[in-house]
Amino acid sequence: MTLSSDDLLTTTRAVRKRLDLDKPVERAVVEECLDLALQAPNGSNLQGWQWVIVDDRDQIAALARIYREAIEAYSKEYDTDALRMGASATPGFDRLTESATYLAENLQRVPVLVVPCINGRMEGAGIFHQASQWGSVLPAAWSFMLALRSRGLGSAWTTVHLNREKQAADVLGIPYERYTQAGLFPVAYTLGTEFKRAARQPSSSVTHWNRW
Ligand SMILES: Cc1cc2nc3c(=O)[nH]c(=O)nc-3n(C[C@H](O)[C@H](O)[C@H](O)COP(=O)(O)O)c2cc1C
């Protein structure tokens, strides 16, 4: 599959229901995507990231349980928030919820999970420190998703398990006091490789030239 860079940027979607849960993912392809991802910018080029790649079925099952507990707790809060913000009235909201539920219910079947981590903890840190730390891992995470897409694989950016971050750290042996998890990325080949451009508001509605 050869995608132009514009096609890659516009069709790298959150893939949940179209993850091929039956097709194994070779370690080599994950490593290749990660090598590309690590070309991303990061503060002072310190490369304070660590990446936990999980393909052990028991470890994946343990993370899936944590993810489900976290999403169940979050759904209860979110129902109220979503109503308040009118999110449930936005187009595609039901599909998104259904898709997110599908992922939660099937996470234990995903071939590989990836948890990017960044050094340090950010609780109570100032905005400069926080922006520098998140900005030193999230661009690489997105590059990782792009690299997967260009090879016929897919992922979905997820953060909900971070409400149970310590539990996941214990499962994975991540030194919680020294490293912060940035998300959890399911990795699988996709069922088909055609993905659409997302419906997003035009840039003109959110840009401010020279002054807000
Ligand atoms: C910071 C962040 C956190 C997210 N957390 C979750 C999550 O916990 N679970 C999930 O299923 N999707 C999660 N998503 C995926 C979004 O729902 C998805 O990106 C959004 O609906 C837009 O869809 P698209 O990426 O296909 O355009 C997250 C995305 C981002 C960027």
Side-chain angles (χ1 to χ4, degrees), residues 12-16 67 71 74 96 99-101 103-104 138 142 145 156-161 182 184 196 198-200:
T12 302
R13 299 266 69 79
V15 186
R16 304 184 188 90
Y67 186 95
I71 211 166
Y74 178 63
L96 170 55
S99 171
T101 304
L103 179 65
L138 302 185
W142 178 237
M145 283 185 66
W157 194 296
T158 83
T159 52
V160 75
H161 91 282
L184 184 150
K196 291 198 194 107
R200 297 277 204 263

Side-chain angles (χ1 to χ4, degrees), residues 31-123:
E31 287 166 355
E32 190 175 276
C33 291
L34 199 49
D35 277 329
L36 290 165
L38 298 190
Q39 292 291 311
N42 65 97
S44 302
N45 200 23
L46 290 172
Q47 301 171 71
W49 47 45
Q50 296 286 331
W51 301 73
V52 185
I53 307 174
V54 189
D55 64 359
D56 176 89
R57 298 318 314 166
D58 291 340
Q59 290 287 76
I60 290 176
L63 288 176
R65 274 193 295 275
I66 293 169
Y67 186 95
R68 266 193 297 277
E69 280 170 25
I71 211 166
E72 274 162 26
Y74 178 63
S75 316
K76 288 186 191 133
E77 284 169 43
Y78 189 76
D79 281 349
T80 327
D81 280 0
L83 278 176
R84 187 171 47 73
M85 296 187 301
S88 52
T90 59
F93 183 76
D94 288 345
R95 270 188 60 207
L96 170 55
T97 309
E98 191 199 330
S99 171
T101 304
Y102 172 87
L103 179 65
E105 285 171 353
N106 289 281
L107 200 65
Q108 71 286 354
R109 297 177 56 205
V110 172
V112 174
L113 302 178
V114 174
V115 178
C117 303
I118 187 70
N119 59 333
R121 304 273 342 154
M122 278 165 266
E123 289 89 346

Side-chain angles (χ1 to χ4, degrees), residues 121-132:
R121 304 273 342 154
M122 278 165 266
E123 289 89 346
I127 292 298
F128 166 66
H129 181 69
Q130 288 190 38
S132 302

